[in-house]
Amino acid sequence: LTMAQAVVQGQDEDQQEADETSRHLSSPLQPAPVIARQLAELTRHVLGCQRLGIQTVEPETELLRPLAVTGLSPEQERQWWFEQLQQEVHLSDGADPALLKRLLAGEVLQLDLTQPPYQDLPNPYNIRQMLIAPMLLGNQLVGLLSLDYGGLDHTYTKEEIDLTAAVARLVTLVIERERLLRERTEAEARTLALQEANRRMTDFLSIAGHEIRTPLTTMKGNIQLAKRSLTKLLRQEAAPS
C-alpha cells in the first residue's frame, strides 16, 4: 500500500532526508536519489531479503547505471558505488541471450551462484541464490531489481517470486514518474532561462540603441551647424564686393 501510494503521490524529499542519505552513501560522485533509496529500503522490507539493488538501463545504449542499494554496511556501500562507477557494463555484456529474452518477457530470474556458470565469478558478498526482476515500461526494459539472502540457502517460493515481480512493476512506475517530473522541471527551468535571456537581450538592445542615438544626435546637430556655417560662408564669398 505504501508503494502504491508512492506511485500516486510521490515522496517528500526534504533536506533532512537528503542529508541522511548523503551520510550513508557512498560516493560523492553519485549520490543516490532520495526517492530511489527510500524505494529500495521499502522494497527490502516488503520482500524480507538481506540485500537489494536497483539499476536502470539506458534504452539507446543498454548501459547499466546504479540507482540504489540497501542492506550493506556503510563501508560496503561506498565500495559498491565505487565499483559500479568505475565500470561501464552493458546489458548484453557476456549475458546469456536466453536469459535476456526471459527478462524481456517479464520473467523473474532465479540464479544459483554456487552452480555453473556463476560459481567462478567474483562474489564479494557470498551470495548463494539471487533473484533478478525486470523493470519493464511497456515492452521496454528500463531497469533491473536484484535481491538476495547472502550466504543463506534460500528457496524462493512462487509467492515470493510473484511478489517480487509486482514490486518491480511498482518501483518502475515510481522511478519513471520521478524521471518525468525531473524532465518537466528541467524543461520549465530552460524555458524560464530562455525568457530571461530574451529579456536581457531586449534590455541590452534598448540601452545600446539609446547609447548609439545619443552620439548620433550630437553628430547630426554638429553636421547641421557645419552645413549652415558652410552655406553662410559660400554666400559671403559669392556676394559682389
Side-chain angles (χ1 to χ4, degrees), residues 66 130 170 183 235:
M130 172 185 285
L170 286 175
E183 287 186 357
R235 286 175 179 173

Side-chain angles (χ1 to χ4, degrees), residues 8 72 120 127 185 192:
V8 179
L72 300 176
D120 295 326
I127 300 170
T185 301
L192 291 175

